[in-house]
Amino acid sequence: MGRGPVQLRRIENKINRQVTFSKRRNGLLKKAHEISVLCDAEVALIVFSTKGKLYEYSSQDSSMDVILERYQRYSFEERAVLDPNIGDQANWGDEYGRLKIKLDALQKSQRQLLGEQLEPLTTRELQQLEQQLDSSLKHIRSRKNQLLFDSISELQKKEKSLKDQNGVLQKHLVETEKEKNNALSNIQHREQLNEKNTALPNTHDREQQNGATTSSPSPTPLTVLDSMPNLNIGSHQPREAGGEPESQPSPAQANSGKLPPWMLRTISNR
C-alpha cells in the first residue's frame, strides 16, 4: 500500500512545532542556495518565525535590497501593463517614498562596504558582506592585472621600436662616417696631386736654370785679351798742346807692340 497524502495542519505541540520549524527552515534555505548555484538564479528568501525573528537568504552575487528593488520594479511594470491607467493614478508621494527607501538602502550598503555600521548585522549577513567584498576584490585585482599586462606589453612594444630606431641610426652613423672618411681621403689625395703638380714645374725650371748655367759659353780670348793691361811696348808720342792730333795707327800697328804676331794674324783675319 502506498503512502497516502499527508494532511497539513498546525502542530499543536509547541516543542514539536519549533523543531519542525527549524528543520523545514534549514531545508528551505538549503534548497534556495542549491537553486541559486545550480541554475545561476537570483534568489531572495524571507522567513519570520512566530516570535517575529527574521531569517533571510539572498544569492551570493546579489543583495536582498537589490532583489527587492527588482521585484518592485517588475511588479509595478506588470501592473502597469495590466492596467494602463495606473501610471496616471500613481501618487508622487509613494514614488518619493520608494526612492527614499532605495537611497537609504544604498547608503547603508555603501557604509557597510566601508566597514561602518556593522553592529546590527548577523553572522550570516557579515559572511555575505565578506563574500561580496572578496568578489569585488577579485574583480578589482583582475582589472588591475589586466591594466598592468597591457602597460607592460605597450612598454615592450615601445622598447622594441626604440631598439629598431637605434639600429637604423647606428647604421646611418656608420655610413656617414664612411662617407666622411672617403671624402677626407679624396681631399688628401687631391692635395697631394696638387703638390706634386706644383713641384714638377719648379723642378723643371731649376733643372733648366742649372742646365743654362752649365752650358753658358766661356769668355772669348779676345775678351780676355781686351781685359789684359796694355804693355805699351814701343814709342808713343803725345800730341802737342794746341796741335792737331796725330793720325791713329791701324789696329795691327797699334797692337804690334802689344801682342805676338800669331795673335795679330788671327785678329786681322777676323
Side-chain angles (χ1 to χ4, degrees), residues 52-235:
K53 189 174 182 180
L54 173 64
Y55 299 93
E56 64 177 351
Y57 169 81
S58 61
S59 56
Q60 181 176 357
D61 297 333
S62 302
S63 63
M64 182 65 68
D65 296 331
V66 174
I67 296 175
L68 292 177
E69 177 197 354
R70 185 174 180 183
Y71 169 76
Q72 292 177 357
R73 185 171 64 253
Y74 275 86
S75 178
F76 180 80
E77 291 177 356
E78 184 178 359
R79 290 197 304 271
V81 171
L82 296 176
D83 187 4
N85 297 324
I86 193 172
D88 299 334
Q89 297 174 359
N91 190 352
W92 290 105
D94 296 339
E95 184 68 19
Y96 172 78
R98 286 193 296 269
L99 293 176
K100 182 71 167 99
I101 293 172
K102 179 181 176 181
L103 179 62
D104 294 339
L106 290 175
Q107 290 178 352
K108 180 180 178 182
S109 177
Q110 183 179 6
R111 287 192 294 269
Q112 289 176 354
L113 290 174
L114 294 175
E116 301 175 358
Q117 297 182 358
L118 301 178
E119 293 79 7
L121 297 180
T122 62
T123 304
R124 186 172 184 81
E125 291 174 346
L126 291 174
Q127 290 178 354
Q128 292 177 358
L129 182 62
E130 184 180 6
Q131 290 176 356
Q132 292 177 5
L133 292 174
D134 290 338
S135 179
S136 300
L137 287 175
K138 287 180 182 179
H139 290 296
I140 293 171
R141 291 193 184 101
S142 177
R143 180 58 181 169
K144 182 187 72 174
N145 294 333
Q146 184 66 31
L147 291 176
L148 290 176
F149 290 152
D150 294 340
S151 178
I152 292 171
S153 178
E154 188 68 22
L155 290 175
Q156 288 177 352
K157 290 180 181 179
K158 289 183 179 179
E159 183 181 5
K160 184 178 179 181
S161 177
L162 291 175
K163 285 183 179 179
D164 295 338
Q165 292 179 3
N166 191 15
V168 173
L169 291 176
Q170 287 181 354
K171 185 177 179 180
H172 180 69
L173 181 61
V174 171
E175 292 178 356
T176 305
E177 289 293 334
K178 288 183 179 179
E179 293 177 357
K180 184 178 179 181
N181 294 332
N182 293 332
L184 290 175
S185 62
N186 292 332
I187 293 172
Q188 292 177 357
H189 183 66
R190 290 177 183 175
E191 290 179 353
Q192 292 176 359
L193 290 177
N194 292 332
E195 291 177 357
K196 289 181 180 180
N197 294 330
T198 306
L200 286 176
N202 295 333
T203 305
H204 184 66
D205 294 340
R206 286 197 297 270
E207 289 178 355
Q208 288 182 354
Q209 291 177 2
N210 293 332
T213 303
T214 305
S215 62
S216 62
S218 61
T220 59
L222 182 60
T223 306
V224 175
L225 291 175
D226 291 340
S227 63
M228 294 177 63
N230 294 328
L231 298 177
N232 295 325
I233 300 175
S235 60

